[in-house]
Amino acid sequence: SKGHYSSKGHNPTVTVVAGGAERGDSVAAGLGALSGGVHVVLVHDAARCLAPSTVFARVIEAVRGGAAAAVPGLPVVDTIKEVDACGRVVGTPDRSRLRAVQTPQAFSRTVLERAHAVTSDATDDAALVERLGEPVIVVPGDERALKITTREDLDRAARILAG
C-alpha cells in the first residue's frame, strides 16, 4: 500500500491507498488519491527504509525550487561495462558522469501525472519523466539509503543501526 502525508500546521493527515500489481500501478493509485492542494509528490521505495530525512528535504527543495523532478544519487565507484546479448563488452561509460540513484524521488505533480498518462512501465518514475523530455535533477544521496533486498544488505543495515 502507499501512504499520502500532508501537513497543515500540526494536524497531519494520512491516507492509505491499496497498491497495484506492479510498481507503476501503485504510484498511479497514489496519484489518483491525492487532494488538489498537493503539488510535490514523493515516490519512495520501502526497501530504502534507512533513508535519512535530509535526503527527503533535498529532493523536495529541488522541486519547490522549480525542478520538474529530483532524485538522490551517489557517485558510482565501480567500473561499469555495457554488454551485448552474448556478454561481449560494447562500451565502458565514464563513471564520473554516472550516479547510483536512490529514493525518495520528488516530482512536480503535474509532470508525474503527465508521465503516468503515457505509461507506467519503467524501473523508476524518473525514467518516465525523462521520456517526456523533462529534466531530472540529481541531488546528493546518502549511503544509509541502501536498498535492503538481500541478507547481506540486511546485515549492513544492522551495522548502520548499531552505530
Side-chain angles (χ1 to χ4, degrees), residues 23 27 40-45 48 51 55-63 68-73 99-109 112 116 122-130 136-139 145 147:
R23 181 206 52 78
V27 174
V40 177
V41 177
L42 299 181
V43 177
H44 184 52
D45 188 341
R48 294 186 186 275
V55 176
F56 288 79
R58 284 193 285 265
V59 295
I60 291 168
E61 181 180 322
V63 173
V71 299
R99 297 296 177 269
V101 175
Q102 304 171 317
T103 66
Q105 298 183 352
F107 304 90
S108 157
R109 177 184 182 165
L112 187 59
H116 274 268
T123 57
D124 75 343
D125 289 271
L128 299 175
V129 171
E130 291 168 39
V136 177
I137 303 300
V138 177
V139 301
K147 191 171 186 179

mmCIF file of all heavy atoms in Angstrom, residues 23 27 40-45 48 51 55-63 68-73 99-109 112 116 122-130 136-139 145 147:
data_model
loop_
_atom_site.group_PDB
_atom_site.id
_atom_site.type_symbol
_atom_site.label_atom_id
_atom_site.label_comp_id
_atom_site.label_asym_id
_atom_site.label_seq_id
_atom_site.Cartn_x
_atom_site.Cartn_y
_atom_site.Cartn_z
ATOM 1 N N ARG A 23 4.811 -1.816 -9.642
ATOM 2 C CA ARG A 23 5.196 -0.560 -9.008
ATOM 3 C C ARG A 23 4.442 0.619 -9.624
ATOM 4 O O ARG A 23 3.890 1.461 -8.913
ATOM 5 C CB ARG A 23 6.714 -0.353 -9.138
ATOM 6 C CG ARG A 23 7.229 0.926 -8.497
ATOM 7 C CD ARG A 23 8.511 1.413 -9.150
ATOM 8 N NE ARG A 23 8.385 1.518 -10.596
ATOM 9 C CZ ARG A 23 7.764 2.528 -11.228
ATOM 10 N NH1 ARG A 23 7.222 3.495 -10.548
ATOM 11 N NH2 ARG A 23 7.684 2.542 -12.540
ATOM 12 N N VAL A 27 1.953 3.562 -7.874
ATOM 13 C CA VAL A 27 2.159 5.013 -7.960
ATOM 14 C C VAL A 27 0.932 5.676 -8.580
ATOM 15 O O VAL A 27 0.458 6.705 -8.090
ATOM 16 C CB VAL A 27 3.440 5.353 -8.750
ATOM 17 C CG1 VAL A 27 3.560 6.857 -8.967
ATOM 18 C CG2 VAL A 27 4.669 4.819 -8.025
ATOM 19 N N VAL A 40 3.840 18.727 -4.816
ATOM 20 C CA VAL A 40 5.086 17.961 -4.874
ATOM 21 C C VAL A 40 4.766 16.543 -4.418
ATOM 22 O O VAL A 40 4.184 16.342 -3.352
ATOM 23 C CB VAL A 40 6.182 18.571 -3.976
ATOM 24 C CG1 VAL A 40 7.442 17.707 -3.998
ATOM 25 C CG2 VAL A 40 6.502 19.996 -4.414
ATOM 26 N N VAL A 41 5.142 15.564 -5.239
ATOM 27 C CA VAL A 41 4.856 14.159 -4.947
ATOM 28 C C VAL A 41 6.175 13.420 -4.755
ATOM 29 O O VAL A 41 7.092 13.568 -5.568
ATOM 30 C CB VAL A 41 4.055 13.503 -6.092
ATOM 31 C CG1 VAL A 41 3.829 12.020 -5.829
ATOM 32 C CG2 VAL A 41 2.732 14.226 -6.290
ATOM 33 N N LEU A 42 6.267 12.636 -3.695
ATOM 34 C CA LEU A 42 7.436 11.800 -3.446
ATOM 35 C C LEU A 42 7.086 10.353 -3.731
ATOM 36 O O LEU A 42 6.004 9.895 -3.353
ATOM 37 C CB LEU A 42 7.902 11.907 -1.990
ATOM 38 C CG LEU A 42 8.331 13.273 -1.497
ATOM 39 C CD1 LEU A 42 8.781 13.187 -0.045
ATOM 40 C CD2 LEU A 42 9.430 13.848 -2.355
ATOM 41 N N VAL A 43 7.995 9.643 -4.387
ATOM 42 C CA VAL A 43 7.862 8.206 -4.591
ATOM 43 C C VAL A 43 9.063 7.588 -3.886
ATOM 44 O O VAL A 43 10.210 7.918 -4.196
ATOM 45 C CB VAL A 43 7.840 7.828 -6.088
ATOM 46 C CG1 VAL A 43 7.766 6.316 -6.255
ATOM 47 C CG2 VAL A 43 6.663 8.516 -6.784
ATOM 48 N N HIS A 44 8.781 6.713 -2.924
ATOM 49 C CA HIS A 44 9.842 6.159 -2.088
ATOM 50 C C HIS A 44 9.728 4.642 -2.018
ATOM 51 O O HIS A 44 8.638 4.098 -1.897
ATOM 52 C CB HIS A 44 9.765 6.757 -0.685
ATOM 53 C CG HIS A 44 10.863 6.339 0.225
ATOM 54 N ND1 HIS A 44 12.192 6.432 -0.107
ATOM 55 C CD2 HIS A 44 10.824 5.830 1.480
ATOM 56 C CE1 HIS A 44 12.930 5.993 0.904
ATOM 57 N NE2 HIS A 44 12.127 5.618 1.868
ATOM 58 N N ASP A 45 10.859 3.978 -2.114
ATOM 59 C CA ASP A 45 10.939 2.520 -2.048
ATOM 60 C C ASP A 45 11.057 2.103 -0.586
ATOM 61 O O ASP A 45 12.024 2.468 0.088
ATOM 62 C CB ASP A 45 12.171 2.077 -2.848
ATOM 63 C CG ASP A 45 12.272 0.585 -3.023
ATOM 64 O OD1 ASP A 45 11.634 -0.160 -2.265
ATOM 65 O OD2 ASP A 45 13.010 0.166 -3.933
ATOM 66 N N ARG A 48 14.204 1.019 1.077
ATOM 67 C CA ARG A 48 15.212 2.016 1.449
ATOM 68 C C ARG A 48 14.781 2.703 2.741
ATOM 69 O O ARG A 48 14.749 3.929 2.847
ATOM 70 C CB ARG A 48 15.411 3.026 0.318
ATOM 71 C CG ARG A 48 16.006 2.405 -0.929
ATOM 72 C CD ARG A 48 16.316 3.462 -1.988
ATOM 73 N NE ARG A 48 16.742 2.864 -3.229
ATOM 74 C CZ ARG A 48 17.984 2.492 -3.514
ATOM 75 N NH1 ARG A 48 18.934 2.653 -2.617
ATOM 76 N NH2 ARG A 48 18.282 1.955 -4.675
ATOM 77 N N ALA A 51 16.726 5.679 4.692
ATOM 78 C CA ALA A 51 16.996 6.977 4.068
ATOM 79 C C ALA A 51 16.744 8.083 5.092
ATOM 80 O O ALA A 51 15.656 8.169 5.653
ATOM 81 C CB ALA A 51 16.114 7.177 2.840
ATOM 82 N N VAL A 55 17.706 13.625 3.015
ATOM 83 C CA VAL A 55 17.547 13.289 1.596
ATOM 84 C C VAL A 55 16.155 13.706 1.127
ATOM 85 O O VAL A 55 15.996 14.270 0.036
ATOM 86 C CB VAL A 55 17.803 11.789 1.340
ATOM 87 C CG1 VAL A 55 17.543 11.428 -0.115
ATOM 88 C CG2 VAL A 55 19.236 11.434 1.723
ATOM 89 N N PHE A 56 15.141 13.464 1.939
ATOM 90 C CA PHE A 56 13.782 13.897 1.609
ATOM 91 C C PHE A 56 13.763 15.413 1.417
ATOM 92 O O PHE A 56 13.194 15.924 0.451
ATOM 93 C CB PHE A 56 12.798 13.495 2.712
ATOM 94 C CG PHE A 56 12.506 12.027 2.777
ATOM 95 C CD1 PHE A 56 13.395 11.147 3.383
ATOM 96 C CD2 PHE A 56 11.333 11.514 2.253
ATOM 97 C CE1 PHE A 56 13.125 9.791 3.448
ATOM 98 C CE2 PHE A 56 11.052 10.161 2.318
ATOM 99 C CZ PHE A 56 11.949 9.299 2.910
ATOM 100 N N ALA A 57 14.406 16.129 2.334
ATOM 101 C CA ALA A 57 14.426 17.593 2.267
ATOM 102 C C ALA A 57 15.110 18.080 0.985
ATOM 103 O O ALA A 57 14.640 19.039 0.355
ATOM 104 C CB ALA A 57 15.132 18.164 3.498
ATOM 105 N N ARG A 58 16.201 17.428 0.583
ATOM 106 C CA ARG A 58 16.921 17.858 -0.628
ATOM 107 C C ARG A 58 16.074 17.710 -1.890
ATOM 108 O O ARG A 58 16.064 18.599 -2.744
ATOM 109 C CB ARG A 58 18.234 17.081 -0.776
ATOM 110 C CG ARG A 58 19.327 17.553 0.161
ATOM 111 C CD ARG A 58 20.680 17.011 -0.213
ATOM 112 N NE ARG A 58 20.885 15.613 0.110
ATOM 113 C CZ ARG A 58 21.459 15.172 1.227
ATOM 114 N NH1 ARG A 58 21.868 16.007 2.156
ATOM 115 N NH2 ARG A 58 21.626 13.874 1.415
ATOM 116 N N VAL A 59 15.376 16.586 -2.044
ATOM 117 C CA VAL A 59 14.579 16.409 -3.263
ATOM 118 C C VAL A 59 13.366 17.330 -3.270
ATOM 119 O O VAL A 59 13.002 17.877 -4.312
ATOM 120 C CB VAL A 59 14.185 14.924 -3.522
ATOM 121 C CG1 VAL A 59 15.408 14.076 -3.790
ATOM 122 C CG2 VAL A 59 13.342 14.340 -2.408
ATOM 123 N N ILE A 60 12.751 17.510 -2.119
ATOM 124 C CA ILE A 60 11.596 18.424 -2.032
ATOM 125 C C ILE A 60 12.028 19.847 -2.362
ATOM 126 O O ILE A 60 11.375 20.548 -3.139
ATOM 127 C CB ILE A 60 10.945 18.357 -0.637
ATOM 128 C CG1 ILE A 60 10.270 17.003 -0.434
ATOM 129 C CG2 ILE A 60 9.956 19.504 -0.434
ATOM 130 C CD1 ILE A 60 9.839 16.726 1.002
ATOM 131 N N GLU A 61 13.150 20.280 -1.794
ATOM 132 C CA GLU A 61 13.653 21.632 -2.040
ATOM 133 C C GLU A 61 13.936 21.852 -3.523
ATOM 134 O O GLU A 61 13.636 22.917 -4.070
ATOM 135 C CB GLU A 61 14.921 21.864 -1.225
ATOM 136 C CG GLU A 61 15.509 23.250 -1.378
ATOM 137 C CD GLU A 61 16.772 23.424 -0.536
ATOM 138 O OE1 GLU A 61 16.824 22.906 0.596
ATOM 139 O OE2 GLU A 61 17.701 24.071 -1.045
ATOM 140 N N ALA A 62 14.487 20.850 -4.196
ATOM 141 C CA ALA A 62 14.793 20.986 -5.621
ATOM 142 C C ALA A 62 13.523 21.188 -6.441
ATOM 143 O O ALA A 62 13.480 22.036 -7.342
ATOM 144 C CB ALA A 62 15.572 19.764 -6.118
ATOM 145 N N VAL A 63 12.470 20.421 -6.135
ATOM 146 C CA VAL A 63 11.216 20.560 -6.890
ATOM 147 C C VAL A 63 10.524 21.870 -6.526
ATOM 148 O O VAL A 63 10.027 22.581 -7.406
ATOM 149 C CB VAL A 63 10.297 19.335 -6.682
ATOM 150 C CG1 VAL A 63 8.934 19.559 -7.313
ATOM 151 C CG2 VAL A 63 10.958 18.089 -7.263
ATOM 152 N N ALA A 68 11.458 19.892 -12.393
ATOM 153 C CA ALA A 68 10.336 19.005 -12.701
ATOM 154 C C ALA A 68 10.417 17.745 -11.849
ATOM 155 O O ALA A 68 9.402 17.195 -11.425
ATOM 156 C CB ALA A 68 10.336 18.636 -14.177
ATOM 157 N N ALA A 69 11.654 17.298 -11.607
ATOM 158 C CA ALA A 69 11.879 16.082 -10.819
ATOM 159 C C ALA A 69 13.268 16.146 -10.205
ATOM 160 O O ALA A 69 14.190 16.742 -10.777
ATOM 161 C CB ALA A 69 11.758 14.848 -11.709
ATOM 162 N N ALA A 70 13.420 15.509 -9.054
ATOM 163 C CA ALA A 70 14.724 15.434 -8.391
ATOM 164 C C ALA A 70 14.875 14.059 -7.769
ATOM 165 O O ALA A 70 13.940 13.533 -7.151
ATOM 166 C CB ALA A 70 14.843 16.505 -7.317
ATOM 167 N N VAL A 71 16.062 13.484 -7.952
ATOM 168 C CA VAL A 71 16.360 12.166 -7.402
ATOM 169 C C VAL A 71 17.678 12.233 -6.644
ATOM 170 O O VAL A 71 18.593 12.946 -7.050
ATOM 171 C CB VAL A 71 16.431 11.086 -8.504
ATOM 172 C CG1 VAL A 71 15.101 10.959 -9.229
ATOM 173 C CG2 VAL A 71 17.538 11.375 -9.497
ATOM 174 N N PRO A 72 17.800 11.485 -5.538
ATOM 175 C CA PRO A 72 19.087 11.426 -4.855
ATOM 176 C C PRO A 72 19.982 10.404 -5.541
ATOM 177 O O PRO A 72 19.499 9.385 -6.048
ATOM 178 C CB PRO A 72 18.715 10.978 -3.441
ATOM 179 C CG PRO A 72 17.435 10.226 -3.602
ATOM 180 C CD PRO A 72 16.742 10.805 -4.805
ATOM 181 N N GLY A 73 21.264 10.692 -5.575
ATOM 182 C CA GLY A 73 22.185 9.752 -6.201
ATOM 183 C C GLY A 73 23.565 9.831 -5.590
ATOM 184 O O GLY A 73 23.950 10.854 -5.021
ATOM 185 N N ARG A 99 25.659 8.054 -11.745
ATOM 186 C CA ARG A 99 25.180 8.101 -10.361
ATOM 187 C C ARG A 99 24.303 6.885 -10.111
ATOM 188 O O ARG A 99 23.506 6.502 -10.973
ATOM 189 C CB ARG A 99 24.361 9.366 -10.078
ATOM 190 C CG ARG A 99 25.130 10.672 -10.214
ATOM 191 C CD ARG A 99 26.244 10.792 -9.190
ATOM 192 N NE ARG A 99 27.020 12.001 -9.349
ATOM 193 C CZ ARG A 99 28.117 12.099 -10.106
ATOM 194 N NH1 ARG A 99 28.538 11.065 -10.824
ATOM 195 N NH2 ARG A 99 28.777 13.222 -10.169
ATOM 196 N N ALA A 100 24.441 6.305 -8.936
ATOM 197 C CA ALA A 100 23.544 5.242 -8.488
ATOM 198 C C ALA A 100 22.363 5.961 -7.823
ATOM 199 O O ALA A 100 22.531 6.629 -6.803
ATOM 200 C CB ALA A 100 24.252 4.326 -7.501
ATOM 201 N N VAL A 101 21.199 5.847 -8.424
ATOM 202 C CA VAL A 101 20.042 6.623 -7.991
ATOM 203 C C VAL A 101 19.281 5.884 -6.896
ATOM 204 O O VAL A 101 19.164 4.668 -6.903
ATOM 205 C CB VAL A 101 19.146 6.934 -9.206
ATOM 206 C CG1 VAL A 101 17.881 7.635 -8.794
ATOM 207 C CG2 VAL A 101 19.915 7.789 -10.204
ATOM 208 N N GLN A 102 18.759 6.659 -5.956
ATOM 209 C CA GLN A 102 18.037 6.141 -4.799
ATOM 210 C C GLN A 102 16.615 6.711 -4.782
ATOM 211 O O GLN A 102 16.189 7.379 -5.718
ATOM 212 C CB GLN A 102 18.776 6.563 -3.520
ATOM 213 C CG GLN A 102 20.228 6.144 -3.456
ATOM 214 C CD GLN A 102 20.952 6.766 -2.283
ATOM 215 O OE1 GLN A 102 20.809 7.940 -1.977
ATOM 216 N NE2 GLN A 102 21.753 5.947 -1.613
ATOM 217 N N THR A 103 15.926 6.463 -3.709
ATOM 218 C CA THR A 103 14.667 7.138 -3.409
ATOM 219 C C THR A 103 14.833 7.734 -2.017
ATOM 220 O O THR A 103 15.710 7.296 -1.277
ATOM 221 C CB THR A 103 13.461 6.176 -3.433
ATOM 222 O OG1 THR A 103 13.558 5.235 -2.388
ATOM 223 C CG2 THR A 103 13.332 5.488 -4.774
ATOM 224 N N PRO A 104 14.028 8.736 -1.684
ATOM 225 C CA PRO A 104 12.807 9.201 -2.335
ATOM 226 C C PRO A 104 13.111 10.033 -3.582
ATOM 227 O O PRO A 104 14.091 10.753 -3.635
ATOM 228 C CB PRO A 104 12.157 10.070 -1.264
ATOM 229 C CG PRO A 104 13.321 10.631 -0.505
ATOM 230 C CD PRO A 104 14.325 9.511 -0.467
ATOM 231 N N GLN A 105 12.232 9.895 -4.555
ATOM 232 C CA GLN A 105 12.294 10.719 -5.743
ATOM 233 C C GLN A 105 11.128 11.702 -5.659
ATOM 234 O O GLN A 105 10.027 11.330 -5.264
ATOM 235 C CB GLN A 105 12.185 9.856 -6.996
ATOM 236 C CG GLN A 105 13.333 8.871 -7.114
ATOM 237 C CD GLN A 105 13.285 8.043 -8.383
ATOM 238 O OE1 GLN A 105 12.323 8.068 -9.136
ATOM 239 N NE2 GLN A 105 14.358 7.299 -8.628
ATOM 240 N N ALA A 106 11.394 12.967 -5.992
ATOM 241 C CA ALA A 106 10.367 14.008 -5.889
ATOM 242 C C ALA A 106 10.013 14.520 -7.275
ATOM 243 O O ALA A 106 10.876 14.608 -8.155
ATOM 244 C CB ALA A 106 10.860 15.159 -5.018
ATOM 245 N N PHE A 107 8.735 14.859 -7.434
ATOM 246 C CA PHE A 107 8.224 15.283 -8.731
ATOM 247 C C PHE A 107 7.229 16.415 -8.577
ATOM 248 O O PHE A 107 6.467 16.457 -7.614
ATOM 249 C CB PHE A 107 7.496 14.122 -9.430
ATOM 250 C CG PHE A 107 8.348 12.908 -9.587
ATOM 251 C CD1 PHE A 107 8.368 11.931 -8.601
ATOM 252 C CD2 PHE A 107 9.143 12.746 -10.709
ATOM 253 C CE1 PHE A 107 9.174 10.808 -8.729
ATOM 254 C CE2 PHE A 107 9.949 11.628 -10.849
ATOM 255 C CZ PHE A 107 9.967 10.664 -9.860
ATOM 256 N N SER A 108 7.213 17.277 -9.587
ATOM 257 C CA SER A 108 6.088 18.177 -9.738
ATOM 258 C C SER A 108 4.896 17.281 -10.032
ATOM 259 O O SER A 108 4.973 16.404 -10.903
ATOM 260 C CB SER A 108 6.341 19.130 -10.908
ATOM 261 O OG SER A 108 5.128 19.627 -11.404
ATOM 262 N N ARG A 109 3.819 17.475 -9.329
ATOM 263 C CA ARG A 109 2.650 16.610 -9.513
ATOM 264 C C ARG A 109 2.189 16.580 -10.966
ATOM 265 O O ARG A 109 1.911 15.513 -11.513
ATOM 266 C CB ARG A 109 1.511 17.077 -8.614
ATOM 267 C CG ARG A 109 0.248 16.268 -8.803
ATOM 268 C CD ARG A 109 -0.870 16.812 -7.978
ATOM 269 N NE ARG A 109 -2.074 16.015 -8.109
ATOM 270 C CZ ARG A 109 -3.090 16.117 -7.285
ATOM 271 N NH1 ARG A 109 -3.040 16.947 -6.272
ATOM 272 N NH2 ARG A 109 -4.158 15.371 -7.478
ATOM 273 N N LEU A 112 4.532 14.415 -13.098
ATOM 274 C CA LEU A 112 4.397 12.979 -12.829
ATOM 275 C C LEU A 112 3.076 12.441 -13.364
ATOM 276 O O LEU A 112 3.028 11.338 -13.922
ATOM 277 C CB LEU A 112 4.537 12.696 -11.327
ATOM 278 C CG LEU A 112 4.589 11.225 -10.937
ATOM 279 C CD1 LEU A 112 5.758 10.500 -11.604
ATOM 280 C CD2 LEU A 112 4.686 11.092 -9.409
ATOM 281 N N HIS A 116 2.742 9.420 -16.152
ATOM 282 C CA HIS A 116 1.950 8.207 -15.940
ATOM 283 C C HIS A 116 0.798 8.087 -16.927
ATOM 284 O O HIS A 116 0.317 6.978 -17.170
ATOM 285 C CB HIS A 116 1.458 8.125 -14.489
ATOM 286 C CG HIS A 116 2.447 7.494 -13.582
ATOM 287 N ND1 HIS A 116 2.467 6.146 -13.315
ATOM 288 C CD2 HIS A 116 3.499 8.017 -12.906
ATOM 289 C CE1 HIS A 116 3.468 5.873 -12.506
ATOM 290 N NE2 HIS A 116 4.116 6.984 -12.247
ATOM 291 N N ALA A 122 8.437 1.364 -16.239
ATOM 292 C CA ALA A 122 9.830 1.783 -16.085
ATOM 293 C C ALA A 122 10.321 1.275 -14.738
ATOM 294 O O ALA A 122 9.526 0.917 -13.872
ATOM 295 C CB ALA A 122 9.951 3.301 -16.156
ATOM 296 N N THR A 123 11.638 1.268 -14.582
ATOM 297 C CA THR A 123 12.194 0.809 -13.307
ATOM 298 C C THR A 123 12.065 1.867 -12.219
ATOM 299 O O THR A 123 12.129 1.543 -11.045
ATOM 300 C CB THR A 123 13.679 0.422 -13.451
ATOM 301 O OG1 THR A 123 14.395 1.543 -13.957
ATOM 302 C CG2 THR A 123 13.833 -0.770 -14.385
ATOM 303 N N ASP A 124 11.893 3.118 -12.608
ATOM 304 C CA ASP A 124 11.609 4.169 -11.627
ATOM 305 C C ASP A 124 10.850 5.298 -12.321
ATOM 306 O O ASP A 124 10.824 5.399 -13.547
ATOM 307 C CB ASP A 124 12.876 4.661 -10.917
ATOM 308 C CG ASP A 124 13.770 5.555 -11.768
ATOM 309 O OD1 ASP A 124 13.626 5.587 -13.010
ATOM 310 O OD2 ASP A 124 14.620 6.230 -11.183
ATOM 311 N N ASP A 125 10.225 6.137 -11.519
ATOM 312 C CA ASP A 125 9.391 7.197 -12.077
ATOM 313 C C ASP A 125 10.215 8.277 -12.756
ATOM 314 O O ASP A 125 9.735 8.934 -13.681
ATOM 315 C CB ASP A 125 8.488 7.767 -10.989
ATOM 316 C CG ASP A 125 7.423 6.767 -10.607
ATOM 317 O OD1 ASP A 125 6.360 6.788 -11.236
ATOM 318 O OD2 ASP A 125 7.673 5.933 -9.723
ATOM 319 N N ALA A 126 11.462 8.458 -12.341
ATOM 320 C CA ALA A 126 12.317 9.436 -13.006
ATOM 321 C C ALA A 126 12.498 9.071 -14.480
ATOM 322 O O ALA A 126 12.539 9.956 -15.344
ATOM 323 C CB ALA A 126 13.670 9.520 -12.301
ATOM 324 N N ALA A 127 12.586 7.788 -14.782
ATOM 325 C CA ALA A 127 12.724 7.357 -16.183
ATOM 326 C C ALA A 127 11.484 7.747 -16.994
ATOM 327 O O ALA A 127 11.603 8.116 -18.171
ATOM 328 C CB ALA A 127 12.961 5.850 -16.261
ATOM 329 N N LEU A 128 10.316 7.696 -16.379
ATOM 330 C CA LEU A 128 9.088 8.106 -17.070
ATOM 331 C C LEU A 128 9.135 9.591 -17.396
ATOM 332 O O LEU A 128 8.740 10.017 -18.490
ATOM 333 C CB LEU A 128 7.861 7.802 -16.211
ATOM 334 C CG LEU A 128 7.607 6.351 -15.837
ATOM 335 C CD1 LEU A 128 6.419 6.248 -14.892
ATOM 336 C CD2 LEU A 128 7.394 5.501 -17.075
ATOM 337 N N VAL A 129 9.614 10.377 -16.446
ATOM 338 C CA VAL A 129 9.716 11.830 -16.648
ATOM 339 C C VAL A 129 10.765 12.144 -17.707
ATOM 340 O O VAL A 129 10.563 13.026 -18.544
ATOM 341 C CB VAL A 129 10.015 12.522 -15.296
ATOM 342 C CG1 VAL A 129 10.352 13.988 -15.488
ATOM 343 C CG2 VAL A 129 8.824 12.361 -14.348
ATOM 344 N N GLU A 130 11.879 11.411 -17.696
ATOM 345 C CA GLU A 130 12.916 11.591 -18.723
ATOM 346 C C GLU A 130 12.332 11.364 -20.118
ATOM 347 O O GLU A 130 12.668 12.090 -21.059
ATOM 348 C CB GLU A 130 14.061 10.607 -18.501
ATOM 349 C CG GLU A 130 14.898 10.872 -17.271
ATOM 350 C CD GLU A 130 15.817 9.699 -16.961
ATOM 351 O OE1 GLU A 130 16.378 9.096 -17.897
ATOM 352 O OE2 GLU A 130 15.970 9.375 -15.768
ATOM 353 N N VAL A 136 15.575 15.919 -15.147
ATOM 354 C CA VAL A 136 15.583 15.327 -13.813
ATOM 355 C C VAL A 136 16.889 15.739 -13.153
ATOM 356 O O VAL A 136 17.964 15.490 -13.690
ATOM 357 C CB VAL A 136 15.467 13.787 -13.873
ATOM 358 C CG1 VAL A 136 15.552 13.180 -12.480
ATOM 359 C CG2 VAL A 136 14.166 13.374 -14.556
ATOM 360 N N ILE A 137 16.795 16.377 -12.002
ATOM 361 C CA ILE A 137 17.957 16.860 -11.269
ATOM 362 C C ILE A 137 18.414 15.780 -10.292
ATOM 363 O O ILE A 137 17.590 15.150 -9.628
ATOM 364 C CB ILE A 137 17.589 18.131 -10.462
ATOM 365 C CG1 ILE A 137 17.039 19.220 -11.365
ATOM 366 C CG2 ILE A 137 18.784 18.634 -9.652
ATOM 367 C CD1 ILE A 137 17.970 19.690 -12.439
ATOM 368 N N VAL A 138 19.733 15.580 -10.192
ATOM 369 C CA VAL A 138 20.279 14.653 -9.202
ATOM 370 C C VAL A 138 20.859 15.477 -8.053
ATOM 371 O O VAL A 138 21.668 16.380 -8.281
ATOM 372 C CB VAL A 138 21.365 13.731 -9.799
ATOM 373 C CG1 VAL A 138 21.954 12.824 -8.722
ATOM 374 C CG2 VAL A 138 20.792 12.902 -10.930
ATOM 375 N N VAL A 139 20.396 15.181 -6.848
ATOM 376 C CA VAL A 139 20.917 15.813 -5.636
ATOM 377 C C VAL A 139 21.720 14.769 -4.867
ATOM 378 O O VAL A 139 21.584 13.570 -5.131
ATOM 379 C CB VAL A 139 19.773 16.389 -4.764
ATOM 380 C CG1 VAL A 139 18.963 17.430 -5.541
ATOM 381 C CG2 VAL A 139 18.868 15.293 -4.226
ATOM 382 N N ALA A 145 20.800 5.185 2.632
ATOM 383 C CA ALA A 145 19.583 4.908 1.849
ATOM 384 C C ALA A 145 19.766 3.667 0.982
ATOM 385 O O ALA A 145 19.197 3.567 -0.101
ATOM 386 C CB ALA A 145 19.223 6.127 0.999
ATOM 387 N N LYS A 147 19.355 -0.039 -0.513
ATOM 388 C CA LYS A 147 18.171 -0.853 -0.792
ATOM 389 C C LYS A 147 18.379 -2.209 -0.127
ATOM 390 O O LYS A 147 19.335 -2.919 -0.439
ATOM 391 C CB LYS A 147 17.979 -1.005 -2.303
ATOM 392 C CG LYS A 147 16.650 -1.597 -2.690
ATOM 393 C CD LYS A 147 16.467 -1.498 -4.191
ATOM 394 C CE LYS A 147 15.086 -1.947 -4.600
ATOM 395 N NZ LYS A 147 14.896 -1.831 -6.051
#
